[in-house]
Amino acid sequence: MSNDDCIFCQIVDGDIPSHTVFEDDTAMAFLDANPLAPGHTLVIPKAHHETLEDVPEETAAHVFGVLHRLNTSVQHAVDADAANVAFNDGEAAGQEVPHVHGHIIPRFDADGGSPIHAVAGQRPDLTDAELDEIAEEIHTTR
Ligand code: 5GP
Ligand code: ZN
């Protein structure tokens, strides 16, 4: 389940050092090496899965549980006012390390950052019928 070419697998295997803040059999969390804010933390499944779609549901639920707990710890540790919690899921969304990871990015009042809405490209102007069609498609493929 480990990929020799993957930086995060090498962190899991202890071959690359990290500031680890959590570890159990399934998940691990460590500080981002190039933090966007103090306390910027990455939470990963230990097994190598490239995108969220590849992660078995039980593992995903466990990783989310860790993310949920650490989100509170991280914010308290750096006295943050808030946090953005997000995955870059796939290359087109900006994912650079192809091993699923959730970001916890602490935020501070007037830190000059942006909300998660800032990450997308040009906004589409969708009609109600188009929204219906998309919702139906999601419903049938879920
Ligand atoms: P992505 O763009 O794939 O969502 O984010 C990858 C993150 O991994 C980046 O924020 C980057 O700073 C971080 N990163 C890349 N290489 C390493 C590393 O070797 N160690 C740690 N701790 N973080 C890394
Ligand atoms: Zn990996």
Side-chain angles (χ1 to χ4, degrees):
M1 290 283 244
S2 173
N3 178 331
D4 287 347
D5 299 328
C6 171
I7 297 170
F8 289 175
C9 283
Q10 290 175 55
I11 288 177
V12 170
D13 293 340
D15 296 334
I16 293 180
S18 70
H19 295 279
T20 302
V21 299
F22 176 87
E23 183 170 10
D24 66 12
D25 287 346
T26 308
M28 188 168 173
F30 46 85
L31 297 182
D32 194 293
N34 294 294
L36 295 173
H40 182 173
T41 297
L42 303 174
V43 182
I44 67 168
K46 280 188 162 177
H48 183 83
H49 301 291
E50 197 164 325
T51 64
L52 278 171
E53 184 176 12
D54 303 328
V55 182
E57 194 158 330
E58 202 178 317
T59 304
H62 183 82
V63 169
F64 186 82
V66 173
L67 199 59
H68 174 246
R69 282 204 304 281
L70 285 181
N71 179 44
T72 301
S73 315
V74 167
Q75 288 190 55
H76 286 178
V78 298
D79 206 15
D81 297 306
N84 291 111
V85 180
F87 290 77
N88 291 325
D89 190 35
E91 218 175 310
Q95 184 179 359
E96 290 182 356
V97 177
H99 180 134
V100 169
H101 51 281
H103 292 258
I104 301 171
I105 305 169
R107 297 294 305 273
F108 302 86
D109 288 341
D111 63 9
S114 303
I116 200 101
H117 297 73
V119 300
Q122 205 178 347
R123 281 192 184 208
D125 188 15
L126 298 170
T127 63
D128 234 22
E130 287 168 325
L131 292 174
D132 272 349
E133 202 179 313
I134 293 167
E136 180 60 23
E137 189 64 27
I138 293 169
H139 188 76
T140 53
T141 55
R142 80 196 192 279

